[in-house]
Amino acid sequence: MLKSVGTNGRKVPKIASLCNFLKFNKNIHSNPDFLAIAENWKSYWKSHYPFVKNDKGKKKYILSMFPYPSGLLHIGHVRVYTISDILSRYYRMKGYKVIHPMGWDAFGLPAENAAIENGISASSWTYENIKKMKEQTYHMNIYFDWDREISTCNPDYYKWSQYLFLQMFHKGLAYQAEATVNWDPVDCTVLANEQVDSHGRSWRSGAIVEKKNLRQWFLKISDYSDQLLDDLETLPKWPDKVKKMQRNWIGRTTGFEISFPLLNDEETLTVFTTKPETIIDVSFIALSKNHKLVLLESQKDPSLAEHLRNESLLDKGYQLPCFAKNPVTGKALPIFYDPYVLDCYGTGAVMGAPIHDRRDFEFAKRNNIIFSKESCIGSYFTNEGKELLNHHDSSNLMDIKQKMLQQKIVSYLEEKKLAKRVKNYRLKDWLISRQRFWGTPIPMVHCETCGAVPVPESELPVKLPDLDKIYEKGTSPLSNLETWMKTTCPKCHGPATRETDTMDTFVDSSWYYFRFLDSKNSELPVGLASASSLMPVDIYIGGVEHSILHLLYSRFFSKFMKDIGLWNGDKYLNEPFTQLITQGMVHGLTYTTMSDERILNPKEVQKIGDEYFLISNPKEKVQLSYQKMSKSKHNGVDPIRTIQKYGSDIIRAYIIFSAPVEGVLLWNENAIMGTKRWLTKIWNCVHQLLEREKKMSDAMRQTKLTIVDDHNSRKLESQYNEFISQCSAHYENVFSLNLVISDAMKLTNNIADALKNNKVNIGTIKASLEVLVKCIAPIIPCFSSECWLLLGHNSSVYSNWPISKNKKENMEELVTIPVQINGKVRFKIEMPKLNDENEILNFVLETNDGKRWLSNKKVLKSFVKQKIISLVTD
Ligand code: ANZ
Ligand code: ZN
């Protein structure tokens, strides 16, 4: 049941209305003071919730990727949060229960480096930055659900990262293994394969990565390879390019493992091949550096050992003193070690068929291996094969030949138990050990008797020690803290030491979107009911640079969380993100010298006529281009400074208008002025309308609400109704958010024309301005709220989304409901299916009939029952 919500019962934004009232009485055509309007509304919203609370509405989980708290929101952050904020405001207006949380991906190297360099604690550095960045989101007027806020460096959060690690450990999905690892010599830590780029450089420091042997913790993501690959097909709202990258990363190949007996030995060598039919043309076997046989032989053969040790010889092959037997042709095959064979792919052994494969061909040439240039495959036909070939055209010829041959060879070898069909993956287990301080401690202890023992759940979190200063770089800082390390073994109670590695921060960010839904739960990472009713994330927005790692790890975690009963997402195949939006980059104007493309500071440049020159050398021409913003290119913008200059509304509108969400945004301050002119035009329309209304007699004012059936009024009416439907479509499509503004600009011009030519009913003009202001409110919150207030509304501009009378598009959504006042049905209204009673009542009060019957009354009671709205008034 509803409380009394008469028009006069609602809250009016006092500060703003007062300021504005003064302003508009003084000079109604003055330009709007965007900064003052923004300040008034932002401070009003500090204590007043701008939206209609709707706990019964359908949920919409809108999430932008949480940032690393570097202390400064950069323009990329501003773009992504603006998009998610706009979408969440839109869906709130539509009556959804929106979840739009924010938190901090707060562990990681910069805090630790700051701690080493400046001697401050990583923790206070991080929390200071969080404070600063939170303030910056306030300037941008981003409405986050701060009551859900989390920081991954908070023990209340990382306790659950540790809990999840332990669950993986118990299921055999977390294990320790000796591994040759990627060692970043600058950051002094291990990197996952995924963190090394195609040039062998660290994704963070850019240093050439070295190889080292260490005992490390791994998560067995490979157990989920098939699910992670197959379920990509169920994500139609993910960009194809991202799905393609993930597919390649998982890299499933189906092929065969074939065993080659060694001559004069019991052992066999197993190779992985996708073309088993080429076995009849094989002329050698090549092995990787760490292949068992290579390691074995190197113990007997000092020159091979030397060959493997000597970095300068490593790219040359080495023939081993043994031979393998081709199980099909019976030929003896030389065996080589060669660096072109990868350790971590297939079996680390390749059968070389030089006439079929370019790399095998090059290898054979390098090593003087003799091979026949005639392929045996060409002359190999069965009788059925010959027959088949006569019935097919030549384009399929090779394929069929190949397939038949493959079948024959495979079944021959299978019979002898020398071949089996296997799937091979590029995706390896995830190495999560980091020799760093500022991360989630891995909750394990090492005991001489019992080995690696998990910390009991009741003792979680294993807290990081308070450390004011971190001195050493190179070893894990935790291993220098004897008191912290010393502990007792949970199993035998003997002396033991704590694990000193911390987790890769990608672990923390693999499940944070669950925690937002139940951020204060002290029993579990997330409650089953919260997770199952509020997951998955409906719209996830972030940078395309996270296409592989973060998204793959998150998908792995959410599938694992289903497996241990933390959520039931079977309906979505336990996929965490239904729609993925990868926002485009922001590029800035960059000055470079014409001669050698040296990046210049704008201070070094002067404009002469239409051209640019170096100040220090006026003969040297300077060229302008747009490039990805970065400090080194002197082409960045400080978002806070621009917001302070223009106001958050204009910057938000500019960002959205200048490019489609996924496109590159070329930052051009001159274009910001265009946005400002457009909003000023709306402002003038509102004031002209009010001025005209003021001049109207009471009698005229009564009639103005009923739309006169003349041509011009009907035209404007149809334009704004069309605008509503177009706008909804753009908001829902997301990719074309920029079109909301171009459509709104068109409608603004139509309204301005209508005011100028005086042929349109003033009620229609008012209605169209109201629609305009409401539809842009998700993008331009403060200015729209101010206009809404000026147009005479006490309610929030966000109280409901306008309904298009353009019936065709809204047929499904609209219902007709009779409204009964003090026992008598007075009128019927057409309205969308709303769930919230408050919202329904607001809707009734906004209609012309509602105004007529209820404007001077106080609603004492209201019922929404069996498709009838019943009101009791004074
Ligand atoms: C014989 C052959 C003949 C092959 C031919 C290919 C073409 P994709 O398809 O990319 O997955 N291979 C197997 N293990 C390897 C390793 N550890 N390092 C480097 N190469 C390896 O590659 C599968 C093919 O890559 C396999 O099939 C094998 O060479 C090679 F005309 O076997 B093939
Ligand atoms: Zn023990």
Side-chain angles (χ1 to χ4, degrees):
M1 205 179 64
L2 214 68
K3 275 179 260 119
S4 139
V5 199
T7 1
N8 31 10
R10 280 191 236 140
K11 283 174 184 158
V12 180
K14 284 200 189 87
I15 319 161
S17 64
L18 186 65
C19 293
N20 180 65
F21 182 70
L22 293 174
K23 216 179 306 147
F24 116 80
N25 269 323
K26 248 197 307 189
N27 181 359
I28 58 168
H29 287 304
S30 69
N31 285 333
D33 183 346
F34 289 103
L35 293 174
I37 293 174
E39 274 324 302
N40 281 336
W41 281 95
K42 279 190 258 183
S43 77
Y44 174 71
W45 286 325
K46 268 187 190 167
S47 50
H48 296 79
Y49 186 68
F51 313 105
V52 175
K53 280 237 157 68
N54 193 354
D55 282 338
K56 291 187 207 114
K58 210 173 146 200
K59 72 98 187 176
K60 189 67 93 179
Y61 187 177
I62 299 168
L63 184 64
S64 35
M65 291 179 184
F66 70 162
Y68 178 78
S70 62
L72 201 71
L73 280 188
H74 59 66
I75 198 76
H77 294 127
V78 173
R79 192 172 186 195
V80 63
Y81 305 144
T82 302
I83 297 166
S84 72
D85 184 62
I86 289 170
L87 297 177
S88 50
R89 284 172 193 264
Y90 167 74
Y91 282 105
R92 280 182 164 130
M93 284 177 91
K94 291 278 273 192
Y96 282 81
K97 173 185 174 171
V98 169
I99 302 152
H100 185 222
M102 182 39 69
W104 312 98
D105 191 9
F107 273 136
L109 274 175
E112 191 161 336
N113 288 340
I116 292 167
E117 277 150 33
N118 310 326
I120 47 164
S121 95
S123 161
S124 47
W125 185 86
T126 306
Y127 283 109
E128 267 306 302
N129 285 345
I130 289 177
K131 209 172 113 202
K132 283 188 218 157
M133 286 174 82
K134 221 168 154 174
E135 253 172 52
Q136 290 158 9
T137 64
Y138 168 77
H139 287 301
M140 285 157 52
N141 202 8
I142 307 289
Y143 206 100
F144 285 125
D145 306 344
W146 286 116
D147 53 338
R148 298 181 184 273
E149 181 183 6
I150 52 175
S151 298
T152 56
C153 67
N154 188 323
D156 286 346
Y157 182 85
Y158 69 69
K159 169 178 180 177
W160 301 112
S161 299
Q162 293 175 338
Y163 171 91
L164 291 169
F165 174 92
L166 291 181
Q167 305 311 310
M168 288 203 181
F169 180 82
H170 296 315
K171 290 207 164 258
L173 290 171
Y175 64 93
Q176 214 179 6
E178 178 90 21
T180 313
V181 293
N182 305 305
W183 179 257
D184 179 332
V186 170
D187 283 338
C188 294
T189 192
V190 163
L191 300 171
N193 284 336
E194 291 88 329
Q195 291 166 340
V196 181
D197 71 13
S198 54
H199 307 291
R201 291 181 182 277
S202 157
W203 72 300
R204 265 204 60 82
S205 71
I208 292 278
V209 166
E210 298 166 3
K211 298 282 176 194
K212 246 191 182 186
N213 267 338
L214 284 176
R215 221 170 145 69
Q216 305 280 297
W217 285 98
F218 289 86
L219 298 184
K220 212 168 173 197
I221 189 174
S222 60
D223 266 17
Y224 287 73
S225 303
D226 281 325
Q227 273 189 62
L228 290 170
L229 186 73
D230 296 339
D231 295 351
L232 281 173
E233 306 310 318
T234 67
L235 299 171
K237 289 185 169 185
W238 275 43
D240 285 337
K241 60 176 180 201
V242 174
K243 286 191 278 189
K244 192 170 164 201
M245 281 191 263
Q246 295 226 345
R247 256 181 231 119
N248 289 342
W249 196 262
I250 299 165
R252 183 169 68 194
T253 333
T254 21
F256 300 86
E257 278 180 9
I258 300 181
S259 300
F260 287 71
L262 287 180
L263 283 185
N264 312 320
D265 204 320
E266 297 284 281
E267 291 286 316
T268 55
L269 262 183
T270 304
V271 306
F272 171 72
T273 177
T274 45
K275 301 256 180 333
E277 65 279 16
T278 61
I279 193 169
I280 46 187
D281 290 325
V282 161
S283 39
F284 65 91
I285 303 272
L287 307 176
S288 70
K289 190 182 168 194
N290 285 309
H291 191 280
K292 218 168 59 193
L293 189 62
V294 174
L295 296 176
L296 204 74
E297 286 299 327
S298 71
Q299 284 167 8
K300 297 187 231 157
D301 177 357
S303 77
L304 172 59
E306 174 55 24
H307 190 97
L308 294 172
R309 250 196 314 273
N310 192 334
E311 296 269 329
S312 65
L313 293 174
L314 266 184
D315 54 351
K316 293 204 178 67
Y318 190 98
Q319 186 171 357
L320 306 183
C322 44
F323 288 83
K325 187 178 148 195
N326 187 323
V328 176
T329 63
K331 245 170 84 174
L333 304 169
I335 303 171
F336 290 81
Y337 146 72
D338 195 89
Y340 93 88
V341 185
L342 307 172
D343 266 324
C344 48
Y345 188 71
T347 58
V350 174
M351 60 179 206
I355 48 172
H356 299 290
D357 186 88
R358 193 182 44 79
R359 284 172 315 172
D360 294 349
F361 177 77
E362 280 162 9
F363 178 86
K365 269 195 6 198
R366 268 203 315 270
N367 293 286
N368 303 319
I369 298 168
I370 302 158
F371 58 91
S372 157
K373 298 204 171 59
E374 281 284 310
S375 168
C376 302
I377 294 177
S379 56
Y380 188 96
F381 285 115
T382 58
N383 286 337
E384 304 99 281
K386 281 180 194 152
E387 231 169 75
L388 239 178
L389 291 177
N390 290 335
H391 290 94
H392 285 86
D393 66 26
S394 58
S395 59
N396 286 331
L397 210 100
M398 280 313 286
D399 259 11
I400 294 163
K401 248 169 39 177
Q402 202 94 353
K403 285 240 169 70
M404 283 170 37
L405 187 61
Q406 189 177 95
Q407 253 169 27
K408 271 211 109 86
I409 286 182
V410 169
S411 42
Y412 170 79
L413 289 170
E414 273 175 345
E415 225 164 75
K416 300 187 151 202
K417 305 236 174 318
L418 290 173
K420 68 171 187 224
R421 191 179 283 271
V422 289
K423 282 183 198 160
N424 221 324
Y425 302 87
R426 227 196 106 197
L427 179 68
K428 296 294 157 217
D429 283 342
W430 174 12
L431 198 170
I432 60 152
S433 281
R434 297 290 179 273
Q435 292 67 47
R436 307 300 313 199
F437 167 72
W438 194 232
T440 301
I442 294 177
M444 299 293 294
V445 301
H446 298 281
C447 163
E448 287 211 356
T449 327
C450 318
V453 182
V455 172
E457 268 166 38
S458 59
E459 286 173 27
L460 296 184
V462 174
K463 275 199 190 168
L464 277 178
D466 287 328
L467 208 60
D468 286 341
K469 271 187 175 181
I470 303 168
Y471 294 104
E472 287 206 38
K473 226 179 160 181
T475 53
S476 169
L478 289 174
S479 62
N480 299 327
L481 302 170
E482 229 174 88
T483 42
W484 182 85
M485 266 176 79
K486 266 194 191 160
T487 183
T488 46
C489 168
K491 227 177 182 174
C492 71
H493 306 291
T497 55
R498 289 193 185 283
E499 171 63 62
T500 57
D501 284 352
T502 53
M503 293 184 204
D504 180 0
T505 56
F506 276 103
V507 176
D508 309 313
S509 58
S510 290
W511 71 279
Y512 76 107
Y513 45 90
F514 276 102
R515 187 68 182 166
F516 277 140
L517 302 175
D518 202 0
S519 58
K520 312 218 167 40
N521 194 328
S522 57
E523 306 292 317
L524 283 170
V526 63
L528 178 66
S530 305
S532 302
S533 61
L534 301 174
M535 278 291 286
V537 174
D538 293 281
I539 308 175
Y540 195 32
I541 310 160
V544 74
E545 69 275 16
H546 291 297
S547 295
I548 300 176
L549 302 185
H550 165 60
L551 292 170
L552 195 65
Y553 295 154
S554 297
R555 295 179 60 224
F556 163 47
F557 260 75
S558 63
K559 287 172 192 295
F560 172 71
M561 287 173 77
K562 141 77 197 181
D563 289 347
I564 56 170
L566 285 173
W567 81 302
N568 184 353
D570 284 344
K571 222 166 113 190
Y572 315 95
L573 285 170
N574 307 300
E575 284 291 333
F577 312 123
T578 304
Q579 180 172 21
L580 176 70
I581 310 274
T582 50
Q583 100 275 8
M585 284 204 278
V586 185
H587 287 192
L589 196 58
T590 318
Y591 299 91
T592 45
T593 51
M594 206 78 137
S595 51
D596 56 358
E597 306 214 336
R598 186 166 60 86
I599 304 268
L600 299 167
N601 188 321
K603 287 184 196 139
E604 295 177 74
V605 179
Q606 58 180 334
K607 192 177 179 191
I608 305 176
D610 282 340
E611 293 187 300
Y612 294 82
F613 298 89
L614 262 187
I615 295 176
S616 59
N617 176 9
K619 283 195 190 121
E620 169 89 53
K621 257 194 179 176
V622 169
Q623 56 187 353
L624 275 59
S625 60
Y626 278 97
Q627 295 185 24
K628 189 185 167 189
M629 282 188 184
S630 78
K631 263 197 199 130
S632 62
K633 289 186 183 154
H634 306 288
N635 63 354
V637 282
D638 173 358
I640 301 307
R641 193 192 58 81
T642 33
I643 285 168
Q644 280 162 350
K645 188 166 166 195
Y646 298 99
S648 52
D649 278 340
I650 291 181
I651 297 303
R652 289 165 63 106
Y654 167 71
I655 287 175
I656 291 308
F657 178 51
S658 300
V661 165
E662 296 207 300
V664 172
L665 171 61
L666 305 180
W667 192 268
N668 172 3
E669 213 151 315
N670 295 334
I672 295 178
M673 297 312 289
T675 318
K676 192 170 174 180
R677 276 195 297 276
W678 163 55
L679 294 182
T680 307
K681 198 168 196 176
I682 298 182
W683 183 260
N684 287 335
C685 287
V686 170
H687 283 94
Q688 277 176 39
L689 175 95
L690 295 177
E691 207 179 343
R692 223 175 276 176
E693 269 194 340
K694 229 164 62 179
K695 288 186 192 142
M696 283 167 62
S697 66
D698 275 352
M700 280 165 79
R701 219 171 290 163
Q702 277 300 315
T703 53
K704 81 182 165 75
L705 290 172
T706 48
I707 291 162
V708 177
D709 196 20
D710 65 90
H711 172 71
N712 286 313
S713 301
R714 267 198 327 219
K715 192 166 152 207
L716 184 61
E717 195 192 359
S718 118
Q719 280 164 344
Y720 78 68
N721 279 304
E722 176 67 16
F723 172 70
I724 299 173
S725 354
Q726 288 297 329
C727 253
S728 309
H730 297 323
Y731 280 115
E732 275 157 47
N733 169 278
V734 188
F735 298 104
S736 54
L737 266 185
N738 54 324
L739 300 184
V740 170
I741 298 197
S742 44
D743 286 356
M745 285 175 167
K746 273 183 229 151
L747 183 63
T748 311
N749 288 340
N750 295 337
I751 296 172
D753 288 348
L755 279 161
K756 214 185 288 165
N757 65 28
N758 234 342
K759 283 184 189 152
V760 178
N761 181 302
I762 195 145
T764 315
I765 296 181
K766 183 163 190 178
S768 59
L769 263 173
E770 286 171 343
V771 161
L772 174 65
V773 162
K774 260 186 175 286
C775 289
I776 60 171
I779 303 176
I780 307 160
C782 306
F783 178 80
S784 305
S785 297
E786 187 78 5
C787 291
W788 186 243
L789 190 71
L790 281 173
L791 288 166
H793 300 278
N794 294 334
S795 59
S796 160
V797 70
Y798 295 108
S799 58
N800 66 322
W801 181 253
I803 305 299
S804 173
K805 305 236 169 61
N806 207 334
K807 291 242 176 61
K808 261 185 277 151
E809 282 138 63
N810 280 301
M811 281 297 252
E812 283 167 312
E813 286 179 28
L814 291 181
V815 286
T816 305
I817 304 185
V819 179
Q820 181 174 290
I821 298 170
N822 299 331
K824 274 190 186 157
V825 173
R826 295 297 183 185
F827 56 92
K828 284 183 181 165
I829 57 163
E830 214 177 32
M831 61 182 295
K833 281 182 192 155
L834 299 174
N835 293 321
D836 187 89
E837 294 193 4
N838 234 326
E839 220 184 338
I840 293 172
L841 189 62
N842 278 339
F843 189 91
V844 173
L845 292 169
E846 297 290 344
T847 62
N848 288 341
D849 282 323
K851 282 178 190 153
R852 192 148 62 91
W853 286 96
L854 298 162
S855 59
N856 299 322
K857 304 257 166 50
K858 199 166 176 182
V859 178
L860 299 175
K861 270 184 189 169
S862 66
F863 307 93
V864 178
K865 239 196 226 165
Q866 290 169 4
K867 295 184 183 165
I868 186 163
I869 299 170
S870 174
L871 307 174
V872 178
T873 66
D874 56 2

